[in-house]
Amino acid sequence: MDLHLSNISQIIQLAIAPVFLLSGVGTQLMVLTNRLARIIDRSRALETLIQENGAEQLSDNEKIELDELYQRMHLINRSITLSSSCALLICLVIASLFIGDALDKKLDNLIAIFFVGGIVALIGSFIYFLREIFVATKNIERQREYGSKYLPKRPQE
């Protein structure tokens, strides 16, 4: 177990790309958690209306919106879970690079599995994020179409 400075510098060079990927995943997690916070705020506002006025006082549009908010929350939670899994797997890639060098073990296959698993998790996260965006866009289009007290009405042609 003789660690040489040249080996460590090579490992650090190899670890730079996964570190940049990890930075991007961290940014994505920040975006996802901000979207989740906004969804939670809006659903709480609608739930407060239900508690104050009763569910029968909500318009059909607001009831549909509440269902869509729950659906969006579910999609964002899955995206966050997959992004977090990606970050964990990329951290394991970086740790495996150093452990393999320190113990003079060939962990190439394990590192490849962690990396591919991380990329697959990232792809899944983006798919759920895209689905959430589609649901949010559909919600805005529906509100414009049928009217909402929060959005300007679509001009009549």
Side-chain angles (χ1 to χ4, degrees):
M1 270 204 300
D2 187 21
L3 292 178
H4 296 290
L5 187 58
S6 64
N7 288 352
I8 293 174
S9 67
Q10 287 175 345
I11 298 300
I12 290 172
Q13 287 174 350
L14 286 174
I16 287 177
V19 167
F20 280 120
L21 178 60
L22 196 56
S23 174
V25 171
T27 302
Q28 181 187 10
L29 280 168
M30 191 168 41
V31 168
L32 293 171
T33 54
N34 285 338
R35 288 182 73 89
L36 180 61
R38 292 186 61 143
I39 293 166
I40 289 170
D41 290 344
R42 178 65 185 137
S43 63
R44 284 184 180 158
L46 287 174
E47 288 168 351
T48 299
L49 283 174
I50 291 172
Q51 288 175 349
E52 291 173 355
N53 304 324
E56 59 278 346
Q57 295 298 325
L58 283 182
S59 69
D60 290 339
N61 191 35
E62 290 168 331
K63 291 174 186 174
I64 293 170
E65 181 184 0
L66 191 58
D67 289 339
E68 287 172 344
L69 288 169
Y70 290 142
Q71 182 182 5
R72 288 178 60 198
M73 203 178 315
H74 181 70
L75 292 169
I76 286 288
N77 279 330
R78 284 189 172 184
S79 185
I80 289 171
T81 300
L82 286 169
S83 287
S84 299
S85 299
C86 172
L88 175 65
L89 288 166
I90 297 306
C91 287
L92 289 172
V93 166
I94 296 166
S96 297
L97 285 168
F98 285 100
I99 290 169
D101 187 58
L103 300 178
D104 202 26
K105 299 277 184 182
K106 293 228 179 241
L107 299 178
D108 300 354
N109 290 339
L110 184 64
I111 291 169
I113 289 169
F114 287 155
F115 186 77
V116 170
I119 295 300
V120 168
L122 186 61
I123 290 168
S125 174
F126 279 126
I127 289 171
Y128 278 110
F129 182 44
L130 193 58
R131 286 181 59 196
E132 189 273 334
I133 289 171
F134 289 153
V135 172
T137 304
K138 182 180 74 173
N139 181 16
I140 291 170
E141 289 172 357
R142 182 185 43 73
Q143 287 179 346
R144 284 200 186 271
E145 183 77 24
Y146 299 108
S148 171
K149 56 187 166 192
Y150 303 106
L151 293 172
K153 297 216 185 279
R154 179 178 276 174
Q156 298 297 322
E157 297 176 17

